[in-house]
Amino acid sequence: MLSVYLNKIFSLNFANLLNAIGLDFEILSSYTFIVVCLGTMILATVAGMVGTITVLKGQSLIGDAIGHSSYPGIIIAFMIGMSLDSVSLMIGAIISGTLAFIIIQFIDKNSKLNLDAVLAVILSAFFGLGMVLKSFIQGHPIYGKVPQGGLSNYIFGQAAFIRTIDVQLILAVAIPSLLILFLFYKEFKIFVFDEVYAKSIGLSSTLMYVLLVLITMSVIATGLKLVGAILISSFLIVPGITALQWSNRFSHVLIIAAIVGSFSAFVGTYISSVYAGMSTGPCIIVVMSGLAFISMFISPKGLLANWLRRRKYLNDLSKSLID
Amino acid sequence: MSENIIVKVEDLTMAYHDKPVLWDNDVNIVENSRTAIIGPNGAGKSTLLKGILGLQKTLSGTVEIMGKSVKQVYKKIAYIPQSNSVNWDFPTTALDVVLMGRYVHLGWIKRPKKKDIEIARNALHKMGMQDYAKRQISQLSGGQKQRVFIARAIAQNAEIYFMDEPLAGVDKNTEKVIIDFLKDSQKQGKTSIVIHHDLNTLADYFDHLVILNKRIIAQGKMSETLTQANLDAADMGGGFTIAAM
């Protein structure tokens, strides 16, 4: 009896506190919000950390290509299984993303084309195939009978459709991914910083690539439903770019990227829950990109700091010349 | 004094995109020597180092280091790549880079310990870089960067140093520090194999020489190998005469 009473006071005070700082307790405590928020925050944390490595490796666009290329896998998985089951669609996304990645690597190794050209071709070929298949099954006598409204969610993402199973899937990917990053922190560090030296001390760069791609691929596949094939790569790239503006230490950069990711996910999810008609994924990305822009201006490595440094240098120079 | 061969390369052939870079080369590096590798641009000097170290595919040939395969002795080899192979935007400090020299002894997963940090600090100190330990790597000058990489090799505590143009783009002071380091290492029984491009300093800095232009033109003791005829044969004679030294 007492505990119920205490609880009430506490939650009321807590609610008042949140209301006072402009947050809606009603929304924050709703089941849907908690599920969506947990999902996006965990996803953004892992994506931010893994993405930092790909950004530093100069491969941000590969994430973009894999994201787009996973779309046809989702449609084909639906055509085979005739259901919108999250797990089977995710497996389809992984297979098609992996296939795209292998093709990209193969062409890049065996032709003289630039990597960005190869990425552009594969990205549009795969995504185009996905769109063709999707419109093909829409009016189809067999597939048309199964509800397929959820399929277009995988293009732009639809966080409102997130269920507990999706959060579990995200966790199932996030925990081993973070574990791998933590255990092989030192190996990733030297692999990204100085791959040739890493090889010379017996570190297999193939193995490191495989690990990195494996994690990236699974993060993308689990994130598709939330954020969509088109925008998922921003989850990987933007927090890393932001974090790199703030620190000169790899470990700190990874932590900042995780914080930027999860903070943006929280704010973005909240905004989209408060205002009707706002999609969660794009909201998160707008917040993330906002942080990235601000960092580019005001961080210690940002434009403002550079400008001040240059002005000070020129001032000192002109002073010393006058003297 | 009989000379031991510490690196023995036989029939090494390597190609880049179907274009042969190195043809059927036999190379013998003498133990405890300071060996320079010279050759014109595109002679395959870097490729040769990478081939020896197993970093790049070889079409044919065998490499023996201390009588074993590279995979068996890689811990005893410190490789200092050309500075353009490094990701300079990477968020890391000078001390951190030197600490990477300890990774090879740590094995997978394990983190560097106090003792490793101590070794890394000492290595930085030997290169006169102790005041820059916490400096972001991209904020260092060309010479300072190179000293950090030599310090990493010191921290690795190797027997053989392979260096790809360590003196390219460094200041005079750093050049002296690096050459002193090579001479010092030699006194400790170590061997260094260095790609070099300055013919004027060649005989001062090194005691053995390999002249390469896709094929081995000549190799052996500096005094016997550095001849006008050999330089001409490697297309390096233009504008340079031995007599001018």
Side-chain angles (χ1 to χ4, degrees), chain A residues 185-260:
Chain A
Y185 169 76
K186 162 174 125 269
E187 284 75 13
F188 272 116
K189 189 166 158 182
I190 195 156
F191 164 70
V192 177
F193 174 63
D194 193 347
E195 192 179 328
V196 187
Y197 178 74
K199 265 193 199 171
S200 83
I201 58 168
L203 183 70
S204 158
S205 55
T206 317
L207 180 64
M208 297 312 290
Y209 263 119
V210 168
L211 271 179
L212 186 58
V213 170
L214 207 71
I215 302 178
T216 310
M217 198 81 71
S218 20
V219 167
I220 289 174
T222 41
L224 283 179
K225 198 170 178 186
L226 269 93
V227 199
I230 296 180
L231 289 176
I232 182 68
S233 62
S234 355
F235 265 57
L236 290 161
I237 302 166
V238 181
I241 289 173
T242 312
L244 280 168
Q245 309 286 323
W246 290 98
S247 175
N248 283 333
R249 292 182 62 180
F250 187 46
S251 53
H252 292 188
V253 168
L254 287 178
I255 292 167
I256 297 171
I259 294 171
V260 167

Side-chain angles (χ1 to χ4, degrees), chain B residues 51 76 84 93 109 115 117 148 160 165 187 201 213:
Chain B
K76 293 183 178 163
N84 61 14
T93 59
I109 296 174
K115 193 195 85 201
I117 296 171
V148 170
I160 312 175
E165 300 224 21
K187 280 180 200 144
T201 53
N213 192 2

Side-chain angles (χ1 to χ4, degrees), chain A residues 65 104 114-126:
Chain A
I104 290 167
N114 275 337
L115 181 63
D116 62 340
V118 179
L119 287 174
V121 170
I122 299 300
L123 179 154
S124 27
F126 271 71

Side-chain angles (χ1 to χ4, degrees), chain A residues 56 182 186 189 193-194 197, chain B residues 87 96 107 111 152 156:
Chain A
L56 281 169
F182 179 74
K186 162 174 125 269
K189 189 166 158 182
F193 174 63
D194 193 347
Y197 178 74
Chain B
N87 181 352
D96 227 20
R111 298 286 156 91
R152 178 171 72 181
Q156 196 183 325

Side-chain angles (χ1 to χ4, degrees), chain B residues 56-112:
Chain B
Q56 202 169 311
K57 254 196 194 144
T58 55
L59 292 181
S60 69
T62 55
V63 175
E64 263 182 26
I65 299 180
M66 301 185 223
K68 290 175 179 159
S69 79
V70 183
K71 281 200 171 119
Q72 289 169 296
V73 293
Y74 69 87
K75 286 187 182 178
K76 293 183 178 163
I77 299 167
Y79 173 50
I80 299 166
Q82 254 172 356
S83 55
N84 61 14
S85 76
V86 170
N87 181 352
W88 292 115
D89 296 325
F90 191 82
T92 189
T93 59
L95 181 65
D96 227 20
V97 173
V98 180
L99 206 50
M100 289 177 189
R102 301 301 302 159
Y103 286 8
V104 68
H105 302 294
L106 291 173
W108 285 82
I109 296 174
K110 288 196 192 97
R111 298 286 156 91

